[in-house]
Amino acid sequence: SSGINAEWPLRPGEAYASLYSSKGVVSSLCPRSFLERQVAQAREDNIHFAVGVEVEFILMKDGVPINNQHFANGPKLTEESELLDEVATALEAQSSACRPIEVLHPESGPGQYEIVFRYTTNPVEIADSVITARQTIHAISKKHGYQATFMAKPFPDQVGNGLHLHISCLDAKKGNSLVPGDQPSGLSEVAEYMVAGILKRLPQLVAITAPTPNSYRRIKPGFWTGHKASWALEDKESAVRLCLDFNTGTVSNVELKTCDPTANPYLAVGGLLAAALDGIRSKAELGPPAVGPVLPTSLTEAIANLEQSTFYEEAMGKDLFKTFIEVKKKKVPTATLR
């Protein structure tokens, strides 16, 4: 389990933990345990997955973004420095349940900001960090008279909020990165298998990483969200982006863009790792860049894809898999796209 530091006065002490029955058996409905299983299975194959995350959110006053400034805008940062400093301080005080912050900066949309958490070879910590960040930002925004939204696409004419997942793989014994290599893609053979595995499962995985009807307003061409199951080097229009280390000129990690902050982070990261590991195990073949099928354009379509996936049924376990699908099916008819 992960404890939350109770030094931050706005919240009582909490702990994140996996679910167990009264007999001490892990619950088949536990999303956190699903993620833990994927981490453990990878380590059995001498693979350590390292994961990082970027969380976007919009600050509003009476339902309207608090400013009309854009990316890396100085006033956008300084005018809300008190609130943002308080967010950073509160998250640092909860270090046992939150990874260190690397960057907190203004993003592209009006009132939009992004917080980046440091990479870790314990992906469960990244999922914990997303939960901690959402709760903390909501509470501090309310204290300052604002509302924070993590909704995928709160405003039709503006950019949406993403939960960008970054993944790399390491040799568990040697500790060296298995991502850069001498293949034409700039990847190693192992990393190509990993990316191919993610792309193969993405038409089903997107039901987990983009889990609301509103999510599909965000996944459109021209919004840097990846509307096709494709990969490319430093191309933010591709669902899977190969990220360069500009100091070395080599690929350092892979970013999945078709994920938003309304996702359950344990399911999203777990589903990503399951696909990546399956690609490595099966030596999946990576196709050419910027080519791939169009991803689902609605949650209904995405859920239909997922429902046919024996791969995710086995990875998640039948109980969790069936429950997730049934909950989403029941929510779709009553959900709005606002």
Side-chain angles (χ1 to χ4, degrees), residues 193-227:
Y193 301 151
M194 177 182 76
V195 172
I198 294 169
L199 292 174
K200 179 181 178 180
R201 306 297 178 184
L202 194 54
Q204 301 86 47
L205 175 60
V206 73
I208 298 171
T209 60
T212 70
N214 178 267
S215 297
Y216 296 85
R217 282 193 167 184
R218 173 180 169 268
I219 302 176
K220 302 285 186 182
F223 284 96
W224 291 3
T225 56
H227 66 290

Side-chain angles (χ1 to χ4, degrees), residues 264-327:
N264 180 315
Y266 304 105
L267 295 180
V269 178
L272 175 63
L273 298 192
L277 182 59
D278 180 65
I280 293 171
R281 286 176 168 174
S282 65
K283 297 186 177 180
E285 183 178 352
L286 184 64
V291 176
V294 174
L295 290 170
T297 57
S298 69
L299 180 59
T300 299
E301 183 183 350
I303 289 295
N305 284 352
L306 180 62
E307 194 169 19
Q308 298 301 314
S309 175
T310 56
F311 171 77
Y312 276 114
E313 182 176 9
E314 181 177 346
M316 296 172 71
K318 184 173 291 186
D319 289 346
L320 181 58
F321 178 79
K322 296 291 186 183
T323 300
F324 179 84
I325 289 173
E326 288 306 313
V327 167

Side-chain angles (χ1 to χ4, degrees), residues 3 43 56 67 69 74 91-92 100 106 111 119 122 134 200 205 208 210 230 249 257 259 264 279 305 313 319 334:
R43 290 179 177 174
E56 293 176 336
N67 57 56
Q69 309 298 334
L91 292 175
E92 288 169 358
Y119 251 75
N122 183 354
R134 288 194 312 215
K200 179 181 178 180
L205 175 60
I208 298 171
S230 63
K257 302 192 73 66
C259 185
N264 180 315
N305 284 352
E313 182 176 9
D319 289 346
T334 58

Side-chain angles (χ1 to χ4, degrees), residues 31-32 34-35 53 123-124 126-132 134 163 165 208 259-272:
R32 203 167 186 264
F34 162 57
L35 173 54
V53 69
V124 177
I126 283 294
D128 288 344
S129 298
V130 173
I131 299 294
T132 304
R134 288 194 312 215
L163 183 73
L165 298 175
I208 298 171
C259 185
D260 69 64
T262 61
N264 180 315
Y266 304 105
L267 295 180
V269 178
L272 175 63

